[in-house]
């Protein structure tokens, strides 16, 4: 917000890569096996230290308990370790400050009555990924903690789920898991996700290559990669060439002298 007016004073263009508080909506018509695999990869990959990491899991109340059990069970199999080992799915945190921040947030969640699964510190640089089952609405979901913390939120209607997803300052990546075409179309439509990246049956991270990468709202705007990215760096001119001896005018205007 401080940078934008500085650049605008010289009529410059901005591409800012800022926060990403990304969500996944899982409906009753989703492929649950595919959803669980995508949840774990998106939330745990890169130790949750990725701008497109999954932060919020928005699940229909009718399937919430069963899906939560599957995710917690999958998390229990993940042992953080050497990222150069082929058997390692989750590497270290970037530094001690990141670990301290994660623990601070988890302590807040426990103090406020939420149910926390995992999240323990393992050695100096490793942590276990955490799942936080929210027992009530909480402003903690408005902020992006750059760590493997996944908030689980229930919903009743698709409209409610989309409202929950969009009700954060950030707008980078989003996704919905459903085999219902109408639900998918609703999500990608004008009244659906308000993010720059909208995915169907794939997580918020991992499918960015080649696409126009970037987000809306506090994520900053502008796009990297994709078909239009070059336009940010170029001066555009509209060129009209008249090869005739007449002067054709638009909208049928007549101007004879």
């Amino acid at each position: 917000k401080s940078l934008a007016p500085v650049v605008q004073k010289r009529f410059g263009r901005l591409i800012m890569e800022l926060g990403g508080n990304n969500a996944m909506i899982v409906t009753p018509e989703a492929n649950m096996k595919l959803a669980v695999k995508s949840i774990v990869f998106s939330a745990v990959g890169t130790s949750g230290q990725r701008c497109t990491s999954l932060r919020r899991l928005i699940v229909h109340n009718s399937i919430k308990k069963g899906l939560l059990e599957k995710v917690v069970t999958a998390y229990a199999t993940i042992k953080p370790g050497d990222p150069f080992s082929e058997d390692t799915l989750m590497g270290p945190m970037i530094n001690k400050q990141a670990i301290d921040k994660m623990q601070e947030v988890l302590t807040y969640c426990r103090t406020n009555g939420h149910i926390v699964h995992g999240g323990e510190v393992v050695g100096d640089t490793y942590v276990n990924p955490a799942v936080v089952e929210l027992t009530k609405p909480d402003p903690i979901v408005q902020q992006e903690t750059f760590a493997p913390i996944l908030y689980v939120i229930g919903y009743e209607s698709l409209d409610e789920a989309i409202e929950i997803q969009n009700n954060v300052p950030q707008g980078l990546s989003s996704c919905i898991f459903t085999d219902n075409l109408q639900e998918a179309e609703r999500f990608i439509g004008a009244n659906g996700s308000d993010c720059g990246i909208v995915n169907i049956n794939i997580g918020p991270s991992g499918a960015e290559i080649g696409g126009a990468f970037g987000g809306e709202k506090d994520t900053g705007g502008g796009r990297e990669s994709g078909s239009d990215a070059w336009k940010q760096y170029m001066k555009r001119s509209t060129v009209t060439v008249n090869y005739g001896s007449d002067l054709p005018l638009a909208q049928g205007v007549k101007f004879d002298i």
Side-chain angles (χ1 to χ4, degrees):
K1 290 180 179 178
S2 300
L3 178 63
V6 174
V7 176
Q8 183 58 39
K9 283 182 179 179
R10 60 178 180 82
F11 297 104
R13 298 190 184 104
L14 280 172
I15 296 182
M16 294 191 288
E17 177 55 52
L18 304 177
N21 194 354
N22 315 296
M24 176 192 295
I25 296 173
V26 182
T27 83
E29 299 195 51
N31 179 325
M32 293 302 157
K33 184 177 180 180
L34 180 63
V36 170
K37 189 173 183 179
S38 298
I39 290 165
V40 177
F41 172 78
S42 301
V44 172
T46 330
S47 303
Q49 301 169 112
R50 187 171 182 160
C51 57
T52 52
S53 291
L54 179 62
R55 311 289 180 195
R56 298 173 294 136
L57 180 60
I58 306 168
V59 188
H60 194 273
N61 287 323
S62 66
I63 59 171
K64 178 183 171 186
K65 181 180 178 181
L67 182 60
L68 179 61
E69 289 176 351
K70 288 182 173 64
V71 171
V72 171
T73 298
Y75 267 45
T77 66
I78 296 174
K79 307 300 180 186
D82 181 0
F84 292 102
S85 171
E86 291 186 0
D87 297 328
T88 299
L89 294 179
M90 179 175 162
M93 300 294 286
I94 187 66
N95 54 33
K96 185 177 183 302
Q97 288 76 16
I99 295 177
D100 292 344
K101 179 61 178 178
M102 176 180 177
Q103 296 308 307
E104 177 186 322
V105 170
L106 294 180
T107 298
Y108 167 90
C109 290
R110 295 187 185 96
T111 302
N112 284 272
H114 305 305
I115 302 171
V116 177
H117 306 271
E120 302 85 2
V121 178
V122 184
D124 295 332
T125 57
Y126 299 101
V127 297
N128 288 324
V131 177
V132 178
E133 184 179 358
L134 295 182
T135 56
K136 58 187 176 182
D138 197 300
I140 192 66
V141 301
Q142 297 286 316
Q143 70 182 51
E144 178 192 26
T145 302
F146 219 60
I149 299 177
L150 178 65
Y151 300 108
V152 181
I153 308 165
Y155 79 89
E156 279 297 324
S157 69
L158 184 58
D159 285 345
E160 179 190 3
I162 293 174
E163 181 180 357
I164 292 171
Q165 181 201 269
N166 293 346
N167 188 30
V168 293
Q170 308 87 353
L172 179 55
S173 190
S174 62
C175 61
I176 187 171
F177 275 73
T178 179
D179 287 340
N180 183 307
L181 183 60
Q182 290 180 322
E183 289 181 335
E185 288 291 338
R186 170 78 172 82
F187 186 70
I188 66 177
N191 296 317
S193 170
D194 65 358
C195 296
I197 300 172
V198 183
N199 296 331
I200 307 296
N201 292 333
I202 191 169
S205 65
E208 307 98 339
I209 296 176
F213 185 89
E216 302 298 329
K217 301 188 294 186
D218 282 9
T219 297
R223 295 295 185 270
E224 306 161 22
S225 300
S227 59
D228 289 343
W230 60 272
K231 293 179 181 178
Q232 291 287 111
Y233 304 94
M234 306 292 287
K235 182 188 77 172
R236 298 178 65 185
S237 298
T238 300
V239 179
T240 303
V241 179
N242 181 5
Y243 291 100
S245 57
D246 295 326
L247 184 64
L249 300 176
Q251 289 85 42
V253 174
K254 296 189 180 300
F255 190 83
D256 295 325
I257 56 172

